[in-house]
Structures are given as structure tokens and as C-alpha cells.
Amino acid sequence: MKKKALYPGSFDPITKGHLDIIRRSSKLFDKVVIGILKNSSKSKSWFSDEEKLEMIKETLKKENIDAEVKIFNGLLVDFICREKVDILIRGLRAMSDYEYELQFTLTNKTLAKSEYETVFLTASRKYLYLSSSLVKEIARNKGDLSHFVTKEVEEKVIEKVKLMSD
């Protein structure tokens, strides 16, 4: 039986930490879908959903990672049901992530209209501290982004900072 996994997030922007989870997931499951969430609680997104979609697709192609990318709105459990997902992938960096993710997982299981399992993948050691928010803060202060995002994403982030400062 083929297993379809979903890795959802806001990806604003996609980081090397996200890529690490996607790469590892693509080796574990038959099909991986990256779900770009239109997140109402993160209203200060730097990138539009379409920009995120293009950045992720471009990055996956360049990194030779086979995954599908989709934008979704609404409850994650509804998207899981529509996409017939077997596995929900969540990345963990620190203990505080676990507490949040456990609450998130238990809530989604209560709301779920279909059966699925949640798999937590711990971040690789070199990405334990990495977040999109950190990338944006470094970019705002003209720091070196090369350790945190791919070259293509770095260019788009720098371009976005220039547009925001004009």
C-alpha cells in the first residue's frame, strides 16, 4: 500500500531546515505533498502564496526532490481528507515545538474526518535553531543568509527586503 504524506507550513520563506525535513520525508514515503497554508495567524507574510509556491517548486527541482506543492485554505484536517493523506509530517526543533505540536495534533485528531497518522521528524542538528522568522530578521539586518536558505531563496529574500525598505 502506497503511503501519501503531507508536510504543511507557511514557508515564508522555505529554509534549509524545511528542505531537510522534505528530503528525509521523500525517502520514507511514496508521495510527499508540501501544503502551503494560508495562515490567518501569520498575517505579516513577506511572500504571497504564489511566490511561495514558485520558490518551493524551484528549490525542489534544483535539489532534485520529488514532491508535489499545493496551496490550501481552511482547516488542515479538511485538506488531509481531500488529499487522502495517510501521514501528517511535523518537524520538531525544541521541546517547546513538541508541546505546541502535541496540542495541534490532538486537536486535529478530534476534528479529523479521515484516519491518518502524525509523524514527528526532529530537525537535523545543524537546523535545530532555524526558523523562517530568524531568516527574515537576519535579512532585515543584511546578514549572511547562505547557511539558512538556498541561493535562489536568498536572492528573493534580499529582493523583498529592498522592496520593503523603498
Side-chain angles (χ1 to χ4, degrees):
M1 175 185 255
K2 292 192 178 243
K3 295 291 181 190
K4 184 176 184 180
L6 170 66
Y7 180 44
S10 54
F11 305 105
D12 190 46
I14 187 168
T15 68
K16 287 183 178 179
H18 293 129
L19 273 176
D20 179 59
I21 297 288
I22 295 166
R23 183 179 287 110
R24 290 165 47 209
S25 297
S26 70
K27 292 176 183 174
L28 293 172
F29 306 107
D30 300 303
K31 181 171 185 169
V32 175
V33 176
I34 295 23
I36 302 170
L37 172 63
K38 291 185 178 205
N39 193 339
S40 59
S41 68
K42 292 189 177 181
S43 60
K44 295 183 180 182
S45 290
W46 278 23
F47 297 95
S48 70
D49 296 329
E50 291 71 26
E51 288 173 315
K52 293 175 192 178
L53 180 77
E54 287 309 309
M55 262 193 291
I56 295 170
K57 282 184 172 182
E58 181 181 338
T59 301
L60 293 176
K61 185 176 180 182
K62 183 116 178 151
E63 297 288 319
N64 200 26
I65 300 171
D66 184 27
E68 191 174 353
V69 187
K70 294 186 176 187
I71 299 169
F72 72 98
N73 200 0
L75 292 175
L76 177 61
V77 291
D78 293 338
F79 187 64
I80 287 169
C81 186
R82 275 195 312 274
E83 290 294 313
K84 297 177 176 59
V85 168
D86 303 296
I87 310 288
L88 176 64
I89 301 164
R90 302 300 292 169
L92 296 176
R93 292 171 295 197
M95 211 48 203
S96 57
D97 279 355
Y98 177 73
E99 291 170 2
Y100 169 80
E101 292 297 343
L102 183 61
Q103 179 184 19
F104 181 80
T105 296
L106 294 173
T107 302
N108 281 334
K109 284 288 193 178
T110 301
L111 297 172
K113 296 173 183 138
S114 62
E115 289 291 318
Y116 70 92
E117 290 297 329
T118 301
V119 172
F120 296 108
L121 291 179
T122 56
S124 295
R125 184 179 303 168
K126 62 183 172 181
Y127 303 123
L128 276 173
Y129 60 89
L130 184 56
S131 68
S132 294
S133 299
L134 181 63
V135 167
K136 290 187 272 193
E137 187 62 29
I138 293 166
R140 273 191 213 97
N141 291 288
K142 299 181 179 17
D144 179 7
L145 296 172
S146 64
H147 302 288
F148 314 115
V149 295
T150 63
K151 184 171 179 42
E152 296 76 25
V153 172
E154 180 179 11
E155 290 168 2
K156 288 177 175 40
V157 170
I158 290 168
E159 183 181 312
K160 190 63 76 170
V161 169
K162 285 179 185 172
L163 287 172
M164 291 175 7
S165 62
D166 287 344

